[in-house]
Amino acid sequence: MSDERRFNSYRSLFKIHFKIYEVGGKPLPRPVPLDGLIIGLVLYFPLLPLGHMLSPSHPWLITLVLAAGAACALLQLDPQGKFAPVFIKDLVLYFFRPKTTNLAGRVIQRFHRRKINWEALEVVEN
């Protein structure tokens, strides 16, 4: 158990939303959230084949628009109050984590199923 204590006056510091307001000294028409930028970059490469199918002449541009739209849609979700990449990491780890644990959090070893050869003896009456 850690000795960390959070006071109510500092609680708002842990909910800071980082945004990019300007690029190269030029202001953006709308601030871009940092987690939206990270989600867009993560989605860019998986969406690249779809961009090639939709526009063979400029696939990178269509893919950029698709990734930005998907990132904007994903930002509307509330991933349990976590930073979106951390939520995605926790979700992926959930699928690979063993599902049977004891109360201490240790993995319970599964029993191996073995086939049993049952033989019934004949009863002969005299």
Side-chain angles (χ1 to χ4, degrees):
M1 188 163 180
S2 69
D3 293 334
E4 179 180 327
R5 294 171 57 189
R6 291 185 185 172
F7 296 100
N8 289 334
S9 61
Y10 295 113
R11 188 163 290 185
S12 63
L13 292 175
F14 296 105
K15 295 182 181 181
I16 296 173
H17 298 286
F18 295 100
K19 294 184 179 183
I20 300 171
Y21 291 96
E22 62 180 40
V23 175
K26 298 191 180 206
L28 295 173
R30 182 177 173 198
V32 178
L34 185 60
D35 54 350
L37 182 66
I38 292 171
I39 291 172
L41 291 174
V42 168
L43 291 177
Y44 180 80
F45 293 106
L47 291 175
L48 198 55
L50 185 62
H52 277 287
M53 288 185 343
L54 294 176
S55 174
S57 59
H58 300 291
W60 59 271
L61 184 62
I62 296 297
T63 307
L64 187 65
V65 170
L66 288 173
C72 183
L74 287 174
L75 282 177
Q76 301 304 318
L77 298 174
D78 181 28
Q80 299 177 353
K82 297 180 182 176
F83 187 52
V86 173
F87 175 74
I88 293 170
K89 180 196 77 152
D90 288 344
L91 186 64
V92 169
L93 290 177
Y94 169 76
F95 289 115
F96 293 107
R97 185 176 34 211
K99 302 297 186 280
T100 52
T101 57
N102 61 9
L103 293 176
R106 294 189 202 102
V107 177
I108 297 173
Q109 298 297 326
R110 294 184 180 176
F111 294 109
H112 297 288
R113 293 184 179 186
R114 300 173 198 247
K115 291 185 178 180
I116 299 175
N117 187 13
W118 291 93
E119 292 181 12
L121 299 174
E122 285 187 38
V123 178
V124 179
E125 292 183 32
N126 292 338

